[in-house]
Amino acid sequence: MLVMPNILSLTCICFNSFLYPTSFFFAKLPEAYAIFNPIVDVMPVIPVLFFLLAFVWQAAIEYIAAAVNLDQLFYPLHLH
């Protein structure tokens, strides 16, 4: 099967990072790419920012919906 080597490789990677956790978290870029160190340091935070953006987006939509009064938006001829 083609899946078995992938699972075996993933198991070895996880086991290796368990044995040497400091090398997993504190790996250094090659010298040619040392100028990108600040960008690489910030990259793990980017998904968290998108997650928080979803809450801000939802709050903005709810605020707009409350301010506009959706009944008048969807039923303009409806008499209350």
Side-chain angles (χ1 to χ4, degrees):
M1 283 184 73
L2 295 174
V3 178
M4 193 61 174
N6 292 336
I7 294 172
L8 184 62
S9 298
L10 182 63
T11 305
C12 290
I13 290 170
C14 292
F15 186 69
N16 191 22
S17 65
F18 178 73
L19 288 178
Y20 306 104
T22 55
S23 65
F24 181 74
F25 290 112
F26 299 110
K28 291 182 66 174
L29 290 174
E31 290 298 323
Y33 303 103
I35 58 172
F36 298 114
N37 270 337
I39 298 171
V40 173
D41 290 340
V42 173
M43 285 175 67
V45 180
I46 293 173
V48 176
L49 296 178
F50 276 103
F51 181 73
L52 294 175
L53 179 64
F55 289 101
V56 173
W57 181 276
Q58 187 63 36
I61 296 299
E62 291 293 327
Y63 179 77
I64 292 170
V68 169
N69 191 356
L70 287 178
D71 287 339
Q72 293 177 358
L73 197 76
F74 290 118
Y75 306 107
L77 300 176
H78 181 63
L79 300 174
H80 292 270

